Amino acid sequence: MKRICCVAAALVLTASVVRAQDPAPRAVVPDSMKWAQNPNLLQGGETTLLAGKFTEAAPYAFRVRFPAGFRVMPHRHPDDRFYTVISGTWTIGIGETFDTTKVQAYPAGTVYFLPANTPHYHYAKDGPSVAQINAVGPTATVYVRDEDDPRKR
């Protein structure tokens, strides 16, 4: 119950910050989303920014799309994150070592909370998937092992 209250409080805080910064209602419809290769991911992993900026101390939202079999090696982010599974099965493992036997699979509609600095990894084991991430920045992606960071290849 305590975790649910904390999650609810974070969502209310995020919503109030968004209202304070951008008082105009707006929508992002699927046809207007511009998907692009993300330098934090290996070739094939795409993202689309929905709101905010990753570099600012403010709320942001984006979606990530993985093809079947796609892997993201262990990494962490400095911000708490809320993942909402939009389509497919979102598979996540917790820890500093990639292990396909220790991942948990979540169906579309699932909301998953990931605390800041938690080492984790992804594996699109059951096919393509799309998830939306909401958080308050600034953010970064820090890979556990430098050799796994696509930006350093």
Side-chain angles (χ1 to χ4, degrees):
M1 184 63 156
K2 184 178 179 182
R3 176 163 273 208
I4 291 171
C5 291
C6 290
V7 170
L11 289 173
V12 169
L13 176 61
T14 300
S16 66
V17 172
V18 170
R19 279 195 305 274
Q21 292 179 347
D22 187 5
R26 61 192 162 107
V28 180
V29 295
D31 289 346
S32 72
M33 293 178 190
K34 293 178 176 46
W35 292 91
Q37 172 66 41
N38 185 311
N40 294 324
L41 301 171
L42 291 173
Q43 188 65 34
E46 297 180 311
T47 58
T48 182
L49 185 62
L50 304 173
K53 294 181 181 174
F54 299 121
T55 57
E56 295 180 0
Y60 65 88
F62 72 102
R63 288 191 181 175
V64 63
R65 177 166 64 186
F66 296 155
F70 194 79
R71 296 174 180 222
V72 180
M73 300 310 284
H75 62 285
R76 57 179 49 94
H77 310 284
D79 46 329
D80 291 340
R81 289 180 164 205
F82 294 90
Y83 292 78
T84 302
V85 183
I86 303 297
S87 65
T89 301
W90 188 254
T91 308
I92 188 168
I94 302 299
E96 294 191 351
T97 304
F98 189 95
D99 185 343
T100 59
T101 67
K102 294 184 178 177
V103 295
Q104 294 291 313
Y106 298 98
T110 300
V111 176
Y112 184 90
F113 173 70
L114 185 70
N117 298 309
T118 301
H120 63 286
Y121 49 94
H122 302 285
Y123 177 35
K125 176 181 170 184
D126 299 324
S129 60
V130 176
Q132 181 168 315
I133 294 94
N134 293 74
V136 177
T139 192
T141 299
V142 180
Y143 280 85
V144 170
R145 297 175 350 140
D146 279 347
E147 56 267 28
D148 290 333
D149 188 338
R151 298 164 294 192
K152 297 181 180 179
R153 290 184 177 190

